[in-house]
Amino acid sequence: MSKSAAATIPTQNCEAPASVSLWEAVLFWLKLGFISFGGPAGQISIMHAELVERRRWISERRFLHALNYCMLLPGPEAQQLATYLGWLLHRTWGGVVAGVLFVLPSLFILIALSWIYIAFGQVGLVAGLFYGIKPAVTAIVVQAACRIGSRALKNGVLWSIAAASFVAIFALGVPFPFIVSGAALTGVIGGRVAPGSFGANHGVAAVSASALPAIVGDDTPTPAHARFSWRRLATVLGCGALLWLVPMGALTAIYGWTHTLTQMGWFFTKAALLTFGGAYAVLPYVYQGGVVHYGWLGAGQMIDGLALGETTPGPLIMVVAFVGFIGGYIGELFGPGQQFLAGAVAAILVSWFTFLPSFLFILAGGPLVEATHGDLKFTAPLTAITAAVVGVILNLALFFGYHVLWPEGFGGGFDGPSALIAVFAATALFRFRVQVIHVIMACGLLGLVARTIAV
């Protein structure tokens, strides 16, 4: 299932459940946090199957309306969709619980896997698995560029924006925030000069004529807590500001502005506001900051982190937890004997600053953005940004491909086995449409076999 489409619901003659308790919803969101494999497409499909078709907590139209709103925001759309639906069903606490439980299992799993990786990464078994997973990740990123491009690049103008963004980041080294800003400005101007080229590509899919009844149905009035109110908006923004200022102020007061933890908080706050187009779009920015500028981890470790993110439940943007853990662990932020603690604290910290804006976008902006949904002056800049993201992701694919196929640089020789595994992964993804998690598992085994034979 893509961002712009949803499964068609089957014809059934049954009544909607009377209501759903907050506790029942909590159990569902917790379960979702453990089974949400497959990236945003798989996660959205799971929510659609469970909440629209099986449980009938929300109707098809209302589900798609929420999805289309989340797609217009920076950040992980699947996590935001869970937050939105939880908020719609059970007010603010329902949204907070849904959003937190969507990411909490993957955070703990990634902390454990990151420790195993950094502590035992040179062990033959682990090294062999990652040898095969890295080429698979390269193919996955190429698939992401093709998938997003097929949806976003609907005309020559958007293709030009994508090409310009690729040249800017690949050939000119323009930082990702400037590319996003330039694309947004292009969308603002283009929306007025050539509105036909910047119409939103996020249309709602057709709904079956025999839509199932649901707790929140097509004709259900908007709940009072979901209606726009200046007072409520101010309250939510004020709470959000405190939730950001208190930890950032504490870090600055205790460690100083230049300390690694403080800089991680500031950097990942900026990253959270620039993730238009999903996790693949922000990865180049995380690479530029985490690898090139701050040196929290190496280029090869960045690829390994993406591989771990692909193989665990939850949003792919959780790779930031890996970046934080490695940076805290290697940097020995709490001293030589407290490396795991430093890594775990850093992982939790960057997750806090990365996901906090997503909650604010939903809880504060939901009622406001719904009132302006479909207005070209709001959607045209986002359409242009999505087009630019395609070029940025293509650059990311080339970056990964270079480090996988020439691990020691062009002078170090071509890695033939990695190339074969990459071709295998690409064939499985593009030709046979095998699920990502299955491709990664198969490639990990191939890498283990290849390293064993080489030894």
Side-chain angles (χ1 to χ4, degrees), residues 230-255:
W230 284 108
R231 180 179 178 181
R232 183 182 179 279
L233 177 62
T235 301
V236 172
L237 291 179
C239 292
L242 285 175
L243 290 172
W244 186 86
L245 285 171
V246 169
M248 181 58 71
L251 289 171
T252 305
I254 296 172
Y255 298 110

Side-chain angles (χ1 to χ4, degrees), residues 72-161:
L72 295 175
L73 300 172
E77 66 271 16
Q79 186 264 349
Q80 290 171 339
L81 178 60
T83 305
Y84 189 108
L85 298 178
W87 164 70
L88 194 60
L89 288 164
H90 295 106
R91 306 175 67 88
T92 299
W93 277 113
V96 171
V97 168
V100 168
L101 292 181
F102 190 84
V103 301
L104 201 59
S106 62
L107 172 61
F108 290 132
I109 292 171
L110 265 178
I111 288 176
L113 291 178
S114 299
W115 175 73
I116 293 173
Y117 166 81
I118 196 67
F120 305 104
Q122 299 305 314
V123 176
L125 174 63
V126 178
L129 290 173
F130 274 96
Y131 180 77
I133 289 174
K134 288 180 182 180
V137 168
T138 303
I140 290 167
V141 176
V142 172
Q143 184 199 37
C146 294
R147 185 178 65 246
I148 296 175
S150 65
R151 183 180 63 249
L153 307 181
K154 300 298 184 182
N155 54 62
V157 173
L158 299 179
W159 272 98
S160 299
I161 293 174

